[in-house]
Amino acid sequence: MDSGMTNEEFGRVVEQYQKLVYTICYQMVRDHYEAQNLAQETFLSAYTHIDRCREEDMKPWLCRIASNKAKDHLKSAYVRRVQLAREEDAQENTGPGRRGIPPGGTEASPEELYTAADGAETIREMIRSLHEPYLKVSVLYFLEEKDVDEIALTLGRPRKTVQTQLYRAKQSLQKMIREGA
């Protein structure tokens, strides 16, 4: 590490801030297991880039990394849940015996399937509850999996406008998820 911090010193940083980092992650994702994983990712990222931070700035820096890791996780969760719902819809149409086998070939329990399908439907409802100018952009992006350029062309909006609207829609959706709307 270029900052001169030893592994032992970094270990003390982890010990000092692990509860804070975990709490930030948990407050955003509301899942104990994911919060633990995100906290580990936070410290791994911090360790990898420790030369970018002065020791006196460590706490806000770690908080920012943890927050960004959790936000990235929430963003990717939309895509995963929507994709899972689509796969389940497709499996319903492929005949008996196929339903309930997620990608990777391992069987999911009925509880997991119900929870995932219910979560995906909740996400779809949240997307559909957005108001313009975010509704059409979100439906095209999250539900129809169009890229930014396709959306801009379809809606006749500048690419930058679509990117901004998607960013704001994601913020609104994250807020809804955190509040359990």
Side-chain angles (χ1 to χ4, degrees):
M1 292 186 291
D2 296 324
S3 72
M5 185 179 280
T6 66
N7 287 344
E8 187 177 309
E9 290 169 329
F10 188 76
R12 283 194 293 271
V13 167
V14 171
E15 197 172 304
Q16 181 178 356
Y17 294 113
Q18 64 186 356
K19 287 180 184 173
L20 173 65
V21 167
Y22 168 81
T23 301
I24 291 167
C25 294
Y26 183 79
Q27 288 295 319
M28 293 181 75
V29 300
R30 297 286 183 198
D31 180 290
H32 173 70
Y33 179 76
E34 286 303 330
Q36 286 180 323
N37 284 342
L38 292 167
Q40 288 178 350
E41 288 179 30
T42 297
F43 286 112
L44 179 62
S45 183
Y47 183 84
T48 305
H49 301 100
I50 197 71
D51 58 319
R52 297 181 185 174
C53 181
R54 296 186 322 227
E55 216 166 310
E56 59 269 17
D57 297 331
M58 189 64 66
K59 183 177 179 180
W61 187 62
L62 287 170
C63 291
R64 191 167 53 250
I65 294 171
S67 177
N68 288 338
K69 292 285 181 193
K71 286 176 187 174
D72 289 346
H73 169 77
L74 290 172
K75 287 177 195 173
S76 66
Y78 297 129
V79 176
R80 285 197 309 272
R81 288 177 181 161
V82 169
Q83 184 61 38
L84 179 60
R86 280 204 178 133
E87 288 165 0
E88 286 186 353
D89 290 346
Q91 288 170 3
E92 286 178 30
N93 298 325
T94 59
R98 182 69 191 129
R99 182 168 167 73
I101 303 174
T106 58
E107 298 240 0
S109 72
E111 294 84 11
E112 289 171 327
L113 287 172
Y114 176 79
T115 302
D118 188 46
E121 185 54 39
T122 300
I123 296 291
R124 280 194 218 110
E125 288 173 17
M126 287 177 181
I127 291 168
R128 290 187 188 113
S129 75
L130 293 171
H131 299 289
E132 285 304 337
Y134 312 118
L135 175 62
K136 288 178 187 165
V137 168
S138 296
V139 168
L140 290 170
Y141 185 78
F142 293 115
L143 302 181
E144 296 182 21
E145 296 184 10
K146 305 277 187 209
D147 66 30
V148 172
D149 292 323
E150 289 175 298
I151 295 169
L153 187 62
T154 301
L155 299 178
R157 298 178 186 168
R159 186 177 200 284
K160 270 291 201 202
T161 300
V162 170
Q163 288 174 321
T164 300
Q165 290 169 345
L166 275 174
Y167 174 78
R168 290 180 181 158
K170 287 175 186 178
Q171 286 182 316
S172 294
L173 291 167
Q174 287 170 349
K175 183 178 179 190
M176 284 187 236
I177 287 173
R178 281 194 306 271
E179 293 173 356

